[in-house]
Amino acid sequence: MIALRNVTLRLGGRTIVEEITLEVGKAEFVCIVGPSGCGKTTLLRLIAGLIPPSAGRVDYQGRPVTGPRPEIAVVFQDYSKALLPWRDASGNIALALEALRVPKRERQPRIDRLLSLIGLSNDAHKFPVQLSGGMQQRLQIARCLAQDPVVLLMDEPFGALDALTRQVLQDEIQGIVTASGATVVFVTHDLEEAIYLGDRVICVRPHPGRIVEAIEVELPRPRNQLTTRESPAFLQLRRRLFDFIAESER
Amino acid sequence: MSEAAPALRSGWRGAVIPVGAVVLAQLLALASPQQSDILAAPLDIFLAGAGGLFDGTIVAATGQTLIAALAGLAIGVGVGLIFGILLGLSGVLDRLMTFSIETVRPVPSAALIPVSLLVFGFGFRMEIAIVAFSTIWPVLILSRAAVAGIEHRLLEVSRVLGFGLVERVWKIIIPAALPRIFVAFRLATGIALIVAVTVEVTANPLGLGHGMMAAQQSLNPALMLALLVWLGLIGWALNAVLLWAQRTLFGPAAIAEARP
């Protein structure tokens, strides 16, 4: 589905990421972890087509990525900046439908369905500033889902939320992704989140950013905030990842 | 909060000084009844103004001044907005144009009167051209700053969604910059009226400015001052309408933001 081959990005004489090779299969949930400044977000932006690589190639379904495309949606971390403050919840979702040139009369039912999917049916006419952080991020996710994405790129989407909201959203995104069969690349600095959500966890080391390890997560789905996180397999993976991060920061 | 609030809050007290001054002037005029080419009693000014309004001369002149000011404003705002948005979006274009803009912009609009007169002759066109020239700059510079200051993430969102330039401008850039662009529009409206009257006073035989000059030259200070008061009222009313529009369109936040 997505293939990066020897991708290197240099900006202003600095090498941000170097010789990245990564394949993401269809309907796979891949998490990328690493210390801050290691180039995780850059990887996501390369896949999204927001920046071209300096060397190597980024392919999507066998063809090189030349720019953003409608079937690849991006969820940004800073939800409050990514929503249009002058449009209400419905209007923000409508933006994606307008981009896809969905005819006007088909928009409202799709907006209603997405709003109920993310539990914002009663807040359709609220503006982003009137919504809590968790609701704003839900709204951004709904706008991305409105694109009917084949690939969902998520850049630390829950990083700015409180722990409880984060867990609720983790389960929601798990359900949504399973139902839609989308391929996900999920950047996070929360190691447990990466194990909990991912089929595979990619570890990136900084200066310059490079992939040093890929860990398969073979925990059964659907996963559960209590039982999964308490299972020995989960704890073992957690230990392995923490050791790895501690080592890379030494 | 709102700029109209202090005037409203002071209520009748705000009227004490102006009303007192008018009454005092009237009393002084009654106490020393002498013919003047400069001054006129408030009552005479009022009568001259009322007369002009009733016989239609002031109404016609007001129409001429407003047509010239608003037509020039429309052109100036249109051109200023287009270039402001383009320069705000493109750093290359901005660097390419800044020198030219900064050399043309400081030309005083009154200095263009002889030039415009030569090109267009007397009439609306020369006045509209000068008003347009002087309103382009505040709109261009403020909208350029407004567009350059738009949240970068929003532009990225529009790229990810695959919007073209026109849609990006229409759906993201203009709404995001609109509160600030409206401030530029208010500023330009004030300038348009000032420049239109200046052109009429100095050269163009049209409108209220010319009316004032004609009254002055025919030694009719009452009518001249009546027109002056009338111009003040028009300027005040235009600003009040725009303030009201700004409040209803963008809420109190926009007005707070407009303050330096």
PDB file of all heavy atoms in Angstrom, chain A residues 45 50 68 76 78 81 84 86 95 98-99 101 143 147, chain B residues 151 153-154 156-157 159-161 163 167 171-172 175-176:
ATOM      1  N   ARG A  45       4.671  13.448   6.979  1.00  0.00           N
ATOM      2  CA  ARG A  45       4.490  14.488   5.961  1.00  0.00           C
ATOM      3  C   ARG A  45       5.026  14.025   4.606  1.00  0.00           C
ATOM      4  O   ARG A  45       4.495  14.417   3.561  1.00  0.00           O
ATOM      5  CB  ARG A  45       5.176  15.777   6.405  1.00  0.00           C
ATOM      6  CG  ARG A  45       4.525  16.378   7.664  1.00  0.00           C
ATOM      7  CD  ARG A  45       5.401  17.453   8.294  1.00  0.00           C
ATOM      8  NE  ARG A  45       5.605  18.558   7.382  1.00  0.00           N
ATOM      9  CZ  ARG A  45       4.747  19.552   7.231  1.00  0.00           C
ATOM     10  NH1 ARG A  45       3.672  19.605   7.968  1.00  0.00           N
ATOM     11  NH2 ARG A  45       4.981  20.506   6.375  1.00  0.00           N
ATOM     12  N   LEU A  50       3.192  16.121   1.528  1.00  0.00           N
ATOM     13  CA  LEU A  50       3.312  17.544   1.857  1.00  0.00           C
ATOM     14  C   LEU A  50       4.725  18.061   1.614  1.00  0.00           C
ATOM     15  O   LEU A  50       4.923  19.252   1.398  1.00  0.00           O
ATOM     16  CB  LEU A  50       2.910  17.782   3.322  1.00  0.00           C
ATOM     17  CG  LEU A  50       1.407  17.730   3.604  1.00  0.00           C
ATOM     18  CD1 LEU A  50       1.131  17.716   5.100  1.00  0.00           C
ATOM     19  CD2 LEU A  50       0.707  18.931   2.970  1.00  0.00           C
ATOM     20  N   PRO A  68      -0.390  15.876  -2.043  1.00  0.00           N
ATOM     21  CA  PRO A  68      -1.509  15.356  -1.261  1.00  0.00           C
ATOM     22  C   PRO A  68      -2.593  14.791  -2.176  1.00  0.00           C
ATOM     23  O   PRO A  68      -2.773  15.253  -3.298  1.00  0.00           O
ATOM     24  CB  PRO A  68      -2.030  16.595  -0.535  1.00  0.00           C
ATOM     25  CG  PRO A  68      -0.920  17.572  -0.552  1.00  0.00           C
ATOM     26  CD  PRO A  68      -0.154  17.306  -1.809  1.00  0.00           C
ATOM     27  N   PHE A  76      -4.084  16.143  12.330  1.00  0.00           N
ATOM     28  CA  PHE A  76      -2.985  16.879  12.954  1.00  0.00           C
ATOM     29  C   PHE A  76      -3.136  16.883  14.467  1.00  0.00           C
ATOM     30  O   PHE A  76      -4.238  16.747  15.009  1.00  0.00           O
ATOM     31  CB  PHE A  76      -2.961  18.311  12.443  1.00  0.00           C
ATOM     32  CG  PHE A  76      -2.639  18.426  10.980  1.00  0.00           C
ATOM     33  CD1 PHE A  76      -3.645  18.635  10.047  1.00  0.00           C
ATOM     34  CD2 PHE A  76      -1.335  18.322  10.538  1.00  0.00           C
ATOM     35  CE1 PHE A  76      -3.356  18.745   8.700  1.00  0.00           C
ATOM     36  CE2 PHE A  76      -1.035  18.427   9.190  1.00  0.00           C
ATOM     37  CZ  PHE A  76      -2.048  18.636   8.268  1.00  0.00           C
ATOM     38  N   ASP A  78      -2.509  19.462  16.529  1.00  0.00           N
ATOM     39  CA  ASP A  78      -3.076  20.714  17.045  1.00  0.00           C
ATOM     40  C   ASP A  78      -4.465  20.940  16.450  1.00  0.00           C
ATOM     41  O   ASP A  78      -4.654  21.781  15.587  1.00  0.00           O
ATOM     42  CB  ASP A  78      -2.144  21.897  16.756  1.00  0.00           C
ATOM     43  CG  ASP A  78      -1.518  21.815  15.375  1.00  0.00           C
ATOM     44  OD1 ASP A  78      -1.890  20.909  14.609  1.00  0.00           O
ATOM     45  OD2 ASP A  78      -0.672  22.659  15.052  1.00  0.00           O
ATOM     46  N   LYS A  81      -6.005  24.363  15.783  1.00  0.00           N
ATOM     47  CA  LYS A  81      -5.523  25.160  14.663  1.00  0.00           C
ATOM     48  C   LYS A  81      -5.957  24.571  13.331  1.00  0.00           C
ATOM     49  O   LYS A  81      -5.934  25.242  12.314  1.00  0.00           O
ATOM     50  CB  LYS A  81      -3.997  25.252  14.693  1.00  0.00           C
ATOM     51  CG  LYS A  81      -3.464  26.059  15.850  1.00  0.00           C
ATOM     52  CD  LYS A  81      -1.955  26.037  15.806  1.00  0.00           C
ATOM     53  CE  LYS A  81      -1.379  26.826  16.976  1.00  0.00           C
ATOM     54  NZ  LYS A  81       0.077  26.639  17.057  1.00  0.00           N
ATOM     55  N   LEU A  84     -11.642  25.102  11.134  1.00  0.00           N
ATOM     56  CA  LEU A  84     -11.956  26.461  10.725  1.00  0.00           C
ATOM     57  C   LEU A  84     -12.807  27.110  11.823  1.00  0.00           C
ATOM     58  O   LEU A  84     -13.929  26.683  12.050  1.00  0.00           O
ATOM     59  CB  LEU A  84     -12.736  26.490   9.412  1.00  0.00           C
ATOM     60  CG  LEU A  84     -12.163  25.689   8.233  1.00  0.00           C
ATOM     61  CD1 LEU A  84     -12.947  25.989   6.970  1.00  0.00           C
ATOM     62  CD2 LEU A  84     -10.710  25.995   8.017  1.00  0.00           C
ATOM     63  N   TRP A  86     -14.473  29.761  11.976  1.00  0.00           N
ATOM     64  CA  TRP A  86     -15.693  30.445  11.561  1.00  0.00           C
ATOM     65  C   TRP A  86     -16.764  29.487  11.046  1.00  0.00           C
ATOM     66  O   TRP A  86     -17.822  29.907  10.623  1.00  0.00           O
ATOM     67  CB  TRP A  86     -15.393  31.504  10.508  1.00  0.00           C
ATOM     68  CG  TRP A  86     -14.778  30.930   9.262  1.00  0.00           C
ATOM     69  CD1 TRP A  86     -15.439  30.477   8.165  1.00  0.00           C
ATOM     70  CD2 TRP A  86     -13.389  30.744   8.991  1.00  0.00           C
ATOM     71  NE1 TRP A  86     -14.551  30.009   7.236  1.00  0.00           N
ATOM     72  CE2 TRP A  86     -13.291  30.172   7.706  1.00  0.00           C
ATOM     73  CE3 TRP A  86     -12.214  31.015   9.700  1.00  0.00           C
ATOM     74  CZ2 TRP A  86     -12.066  29.855   7.133  1.00  0.00           C
ATOM     75  CZ3 TRP A  86     -11.008  30.708   9.118  1.00  0.00           C
ATOM     76  CH2 TRP A  86     -10.936  30.132   7.855  1.00  0.00           C
ATOM     77  N   LEU A  95     -16.455  20.901   4.750  1.00  0.00           N
ATOM     78  CA  LEU A  95     -15.273  21.344   4.009  1.00  0.00           C
ATOM     79  C   LEU A  95     -14.654  20.184   3.218  1.00  0.00           C
ATOM     80  O   LEU A  95     -14.296  20.335   2.052  1.00  0.00           O
ATOM     81  CB  LEU A  95     -14.241  21.928   4.977  1.00  0.00           C
ATOM     82  CG  LEU A  95     -13.022  22.560   4.330  1.00  0.00           C
ATOM     83  CD1 LEU A  95     -13.379  23.909   3.736  1.00  0.00           C
ATOM     84  CD2 LEU A  95     -11.890  22.721   5.335  1.00  0.00           C
ATOM     85  N   GLU A  98     -16.864  19.314   0.350  1.00  0.00           N
ATOM     86  CA  GLU A  98     -16.724  20.301  -0.728  1.00  0.00           C
ATOM     87  C   GLU A  98     -15.467  20.018  -1.536  1.00  0.00           C
ATOM     88  O   GLU A  98     -15.464  20.123  -2.761  1.00  0.00           O
ATOM     89  CB  GLU A  98     -16.651  21.720  -0.130  1.00  0.00           C
ATOM     90  CG  GLU A  98     -17.974  22.198   0.449  1.00  0.00           C
ATOM     91  CD  GLU A  98     -17.794  23.365   1.421  1.00  0.00           C
ATOM     92  OE1 GLU A  98     -16.769  24.060   1.340  1.00  0.00           O
ATOM     93  OE2 GLU A  98     -18.692  23.566   2.261  1.00  0.00           O
ATOM     94  N   ALA A  99     -14.397  19.643  -0.827  1.00  0.00           N
ATOM     95  CA  ALA A  99     -13.148  19.348  -1.524  1.00  0.00           C
ATOM     96  C   ALA A  99     -13.317  18.156  -2.464  1.00  0.00           C
ATOM     97  O   ALA A  99     -12.710  18.106  -3.527  1.00  0.00           O
ATOM     98  CB  ALA A  99     -12.036  19.077  -0.525  1.00  0.00           C
ATOM     99  N   ARG A 101     -16.019  17.474  -3.956  1.00  0.00           N
ATOM    100  CA  ARG A 101     -17.084  17.837  -4.892  1.00  0.00           C
ATOM    101  C   ARG A 101     -18.306  16.930  -4.754  1.00  0.00           C
ATOM    102  O   ARG A 101     -18.906  16.502  -5.742  1.00  0.00           O
ATOM    103  CB  ARG A 101     -16.593  17.821  -6.328  1.00  0.00           C
ATOM    104  CG  ARG A 101     -15.263  18.533  -6.491  1.00  0.00           C
ATOM    105  CD  ARG A 101     -15.100  19.182  -7.822  1.00  0.00           C
ATOM    106  NE  ARG A 101     -13.865  19.938  -7.874  1.00  0.00           N
ATOM    107  CZ  ARG A 101     -13.711  21.142  -7.336  1.00  0.00           C
ATOM    108  NH1 ARG A 101     -14.724  21.739  -6.746  1.00  0.00           N
ATOM    109  NH2 ARG A 101     -12.550  21.764  -7.403  1.00  0.00           N
ATOM    110  N   ARG A 143     -13.836  14.921  10.074  1.00  0.00           N
ATOM    111  CA  ARG A 143     -13.580  15.586   8.796  1.00  0.00           C
ATOM    112  C   ARG A 143     -12.688  14.717   7.916  1.00  0.00           C
ATOM    113  O   ARG A 143     -12.885  14.629   6.704  1.00  0.00           O
ATOM    114  CB  ARG A 143     -12.933  16.952   9.019  1.00  0.00           C
ATOM    115  CG  ARG A 143     -12.738  17.713   7.723  1.00  0.00           C
ATOM    116  CD  ARG A 143     -12.259  19.113   7.946  1.00  0.00           C
ATOM    117  NE  ARG A 143     -10.896  19.148   8.419  1.00  0.00           N
ATOM    118  CZ  ARG A 143     -10.332  20.212   8.974  1.00  0.00           C
ATOM    119  NH1 ARG A 143     -11.035  21.311   9.144  1.00  0.00           N
ATOM    120  NH2 ARG A 143      -9.095  20.181   9.377  1.00  0.00           N
ATOM    121  N   GLN A 147     -13.563  12.153   4.056  1.00  0.00           N
ATOM    122  CA  GLN A 147     -12.841  11.935   2.788  1.00  0.00           C
ATOM    123  C   GLN A 147     -12.918  10.478   2.349  1.00  0.00           C
ATOM    124  O   GLN A 147     -12.384  10.161   1.287  1.00  0.00           O
ATOM    125  CB  GLN A 147     -11.357  12.301   2.957  1.00  0.00           C
ATOM    126  CG  GLN A 147     -11.085  13.771   3.155  1.00  0.00           C
ATOM    127  CD  GLN A 147      -9.605  14.025   3.449  1.00  0.00           C
ATOM    128  OE1 GLN A 147      -9.249  14.434   4.529  1.00  0.00           O
ATOM    129  NE2 GLN A 147      -8.742  13.770   2.471  1.00  0.00           N
TER     130      GLN A 147
ATOM    131  N   GLU B 151      -3.132  31.301  10.239  1.00  0.00           N
ATOM    132  CA  GLU B 151      -2.620  30.060  10.821  1.00  0.00           C
ATOM    133  C   GLU B 151      -2.119  29.121   9.716  1.00  0.00           C
ATOM    134  O   GLU B 151      -2.870  28.727   8.828  1.00  0.00           O
ATOM    135  CB  GLU B 151      -3.751  29.405  11.622  1.00  0.00           C
ATOM    136  CG  GLU B 151      -3.425  28.049  12.187  1.00  0.00           C
ATOM    137  CD  GLU B 151      -2.174  28.077  13.033  1.00  0.00           C
ATOM    138  OE1 GLU B 151      -2.105  28.934  13.940  1.00  0.00           O
ATOM    139  OE2 GLU B 151      -1.255  27.270  12.793  1.00  0.00           O
ATOM    140  N   ARG B 153      -1.371  26.063   9.750  1.00  0.00           N
ATOM    141  CA  ARG B 153      -2.002  24.747   9.728  1.00  0.00           C
ATOM    142  C   ARG B 153      -3.244  24.730   8.822  1.00  0.00           C
ATOM    143  O   ARG B 153      -3.515  23.736   8.154  1.00  0.00           O
ATOM    144  CB  ARG B 153      -2.382  24.345  11.158  1.00  0.00           C
ATOM    145  CG  ARG B 153      -2.915  22.956  11.287  1.00  0.00           C
ATOM    146  CD  ARG B 153      -1.869  21.895  10.963  1.00  0.00           C
ATOM    147  NE  ARG B 153      -0.962  21.668  12.064  1.00  0.00           N
ATOM    148  CZ  ARG B 153       0.292  21.254  11.905  1.00  0.00           C
ATOM    149  NH1 ARG B 153       0.786  21.043  10.713  1.00  0.00           N
ATOM    150  NH2 ARG B 153       1.053  21.065  12.952  1.00  0.00           N
ATOM    151  N   LEU B 154      -3.982  25.848   8.808  1.00  0.00           N
ATOM    152  CA  LEU B 154      -5.185  25.902   7.971  1.00  0.00           C
ATOM    153  C   LEU B 154      -4.825  25.776   6.498  1.00  0.00           C
ATOM    154  O   LEU B 154      -5.531  25.123   5.726  1.00  0.00           O
ATOM    155  CB  LEU B 154      -5.929  27.222   8.201  1.00  0.00           C
ATOM    156  CG  LEU B 154      -6.716  27.344   9.502  1.00  0.00           C
ATOM    157  CD1 LEU B 154      -7.412  28.693   9.557  1.00  0.00           C
ATOM    158  CD2 LEU B 154      -7.738  26.225   9.599  1.00  0.00           C
ATOM    159  N   GLU B 156      -2.262  24.209   5.385  1.00  0.00           N
ATOM    160  CA  GLU B 156      -1.867  22.826   5.173  1.00  0.00           C
ATOM    161  C   GLU B 156      -3.099  21.933   5.036  1.00  0.00           C
ATOM    162  O   GLU B 156      -3.136  21.032   4.209  1.00  0.00           O
ATOM    163  CB  GLU B 156      -1.014  22.368   6.360  1.00  0.00           C
ATOM    164  CG  GLU B 156       0.080  21.433   5.956  1.00  0.00           C
ATOM    165  CD  GLU B 156       1.156  21.350   7.023  1.00  0.00           C
ATOM    166  OE1 GLU B 156       0.820  21.135   8.213  1.00  0.00           O
ATOM    167  OE2 GLU B 156       2.316  21.524   6.674  1.00  0.00           O
ATOM    168  N   VAL B 157      -4.105  22.208   5.875  1.00  0.00           N
ATOM    169  CA  VAL B 157      -5.357  21.449   5.782  1.00  0.00           C
ATOM    170  C   VAL B 157      -5.938  21.593   4.379  1.00  0.00           C
ATOM    171  O   VAL B 157      -6.356  20.618   3.757  1.00  0.00           O
ATOM    172  CB  VAL B 157      -6.375  21.937   6.849  1.00  0.00           C
ATOM    173  CG1 VAL B 157      -7.763  21.406   6.543  1.00  0.00           C
ATOM    174  CG2 VAL B 157      -5.934  21.494   8.236  1.00  0.00           C
ATOM    175  N   ARG B 159      -4.364  22.190   1.682  1.00  0.00           N
ATOM    176  CA  ARG B 159      -3.531  21.437   0.722  1.00  0.00           C
ATOM    177  C   ARG B 159      -3.856  19.961   0.780  1.00  0.00           C
ATOM    178  O   ARG B 159      -4.012  19.298  -0.247  1.00  0.00           O
ATOM    179  CB  ARG B 159      -2.042  21.625   1.057  1.00  0.00           C
ATOM    180  CG  ARG B 159      -1.418  22.831   0.408  1.00  0.00           C
ATOM    181  CD  ARG B 159       0.073  22.826   0.659  1.00  0.00           C
ATOM    182  NE  ARG B 159       0.759  21.754  -0.066  1.00  0.00           N
ATOM    183  CZ  ARG B 159       1.968  21.311   0.248  1.00  0.00           C
ATOM    184  NH1 ARG B 159       2.619  21.827   1.264  1.00  0.00           N
ATOM    185  NH2 ARG B 159       2.531  20.360  -0.464  1.00  0.00           N
ATOM    186  N   VAL B 160      -3.974  19.446   2.015  1.00  0.00           N
ATOM    187  CA  VAL B 160      -4.276  18.025   2.177  1.00  0.00           C
ATOM    188  C   VAL B 160      -5.615  17.683   1.541  1.00  0.00           C
ATOM    189  O   VAL B 160      -5.792  16.633   0.932  1.00  0.00           O
ATOM    190  CB  VAL B 160      -4.260  17.637   3.670  1.00  0.00           C
ATOM    191  CG1 VAL B 160      -4.821  16.248   3.866  1.00  0.00           C
ATOM    192  CG2 VAL B 160      -2.854  17.720   4.227  1.00  0.00           C
ATOM    193  N   LEU B 161      -6.574  18.608   1.666  1.00  0.00           N
ATOM    194  CA  LEU B 161      -7.888  18.355   1.089  1.00  0.00           C
ATOM    195  C   LEU B 161      -7.899  18.539  -0.424  1.00  0.00           C
ATOM    196  O   LEU B 161      -8.882  18.204  -1.082  1.00  0.00           O
ATOM    197  CB  LEU B 161      -8.924  19.288   1.725  1.00  0.00           C
ATOM    198  CG  LEU B 161      -9.310  18.959   3.173  1.00  0.00           C
ATOM    199  CD1 LEU B 161     -10.200  20.030   3.752  1.00  0.00           C
ATOM    200  CD2 LEU B 161      -9.996  17.608   3.257  1.00  0.00           C
ATOM    201  N   PHE B 163      -7.565  21.482  -2.265  1.00  0.00           N
ATOM    202  CA  PHE B 163      -8.189  22.677  -2.833  1.00  0.00           C
ATOM    203  C   PHE B 163      -7.230  23.377  -3.787  1.00  0.00           C
ATOM    204  O   PHE B 163      -6.039  23.483  -3.509  1.00  0.00           O
ATOM    205  CB  PHE B 163      -8.566  23.664  -1.731  1.00  0.00           C
ATOM    206  CG  PHE B 163      -9.805  23.278  -0.968  1.00  0.00           C
ATOM    207  CD1 PHE B 163      -9.791  23.182   0.408  1.00  0.00           C
ATOM    208  CD2 PHE B 163     -10.987  23.025  -1.645  1.00  0.00           C
ATOM    209  CE1 PHE B 163     -10.929  22.834   1.112  1.00  0.00           C
ATOM    210  CE2 PHE B 163     -12.130  22.674  -0.953  1.00  0.00           C
ATOM    211  CZ  PHE B 163     -12.106  22.578   0.426  1.00  0.00           C
ATOM    212  N   GLU B 167     -10.270  28.108  -4.700  1.00  0.00           N
ATOM    213  CA  GLU B 167     -11.033  27.598  -3.556  1.00  0.00           C
ATOM    214  C   GLU B 167     -10.315  27.898  -2.245  1.00  0.00           C
ATOM    215  O   GLU B 167     -10.940  28.199  -1.236  1.00  0.00           O
ATOM    216  CB  GLU B 167     -11.232  26.088  -3.692  1.00  0.00           C
ATOM    217  CG  GLU B 167     -12.390  25.717  -4.581  1.00  0.00           C
ATOM    218  CD  GLU B 167     -12.518  24.218  -4.712  1.00  0.00           C
ATOM    219  OE1 GLU B 167     -11.506  23.571  -5.059  1.00  0.00           O
ATOM    220  OE2 GLU B 167     -13.606  23.701  -4.464  1.00  0.00           O
ATOM    221  N   LYS B 171     -12.388  29.822   0.359  1.00  0.00           N
ATOM    222  CA  LYS B 171     -12.918  29.076   1.512  1.00  0.00           C
ATOM    223  C   LYS B 171     -12.066  29.225   2.771  1.00  0.00           C
ATOM    224  O   LYS B 171     -12.562  29.043   3.881  1.00  0.00           O
ATOM    225  CB  LYS B 171     -13.027  27.585   1.176  1.00  0.00           C
ATOM    226  CG  LYS B 171     -14.147  27.265   0.204  1.00  0.00           C
ATOM    227  CD  LYS B 171     -14.231  25.769   0.008  1.00  0.00           C
ATOM    228  CE  LYS B 171     -15.022  25.382  -1.219  1.00  0.00           C
ATOM    229  NZ  LYS B 171     -16.458  25.573  -1.069  1.00  0.00           N
ATOM    230  N   ILE B 172     -10.775  29.470   2.594  1.00  0.00           N
ATOM    231  CA  ILE B 172      -9.896  29.514   3.771  1.00  0.00           C
ATOM    232  C   ILE B 172      -9.345  30.919   4.004  1.00  0.00           C
ATOM    233  O   ILE B 172      -9.514  31.499   5.071  1.00  0.00           O
ATOM    234  CB  ILE B 172      -8.706  28.530   3.619  1.00  0.00           C
ATOM    235  CG1 ILE B 172      -9.197  27.146   3.207  1.00  0.00           C
ATOM    236  CG2 ILE B 172      -7.858  28.505   4.879  1.00  0.00           C
ATOM    237  CD1 ILE B 172      -9.644  26.239   4.298  1.00  0.00           C
ATOM    238  N   PRO B 175     -12.094  34.100   4.487  1.00  0.00           N
ATOM    239  CA  PRO B 175     -12.769  34.070   5.795  1.00  0.00           C
ATOM    240  C   PRO B 175     -11.817  34.231   6.974  1.00  0.00           C
ATOM    241  O   PRO B 175     -12.153  34.896   7.952  1.00  0.00           O
ATOM    242  CB  PRO B 175     -13.437  32.690   5.830  1.00  0.00           C
ATOM    243  CG  PRO B 175     -13.364  32.138   4.483  1.00  0.00           C
ATOM    244  CD  PRO B 175     -12.352  32.880   3.701  1.00  0.00           C
ATOM    245  N   ALA B 176     -10.623  33.638   6.863  1.00  0.00           N
ATOM    246  CA  ALA B 176      -9.683  33.733   7.985  1.00  0.00           C
ATOM    247  C   ALA B 176      -9.187  35.156   8.165  1.00  0.00           C
ATOM    248  O   ALA B 176      -8.948  35.612   9.277  1.00  0.00           O
ATOM    249  CB  ALA B 176      -8.506  32.777   7.773  1.00  0.00           C
TER     250      ALA B 176
END
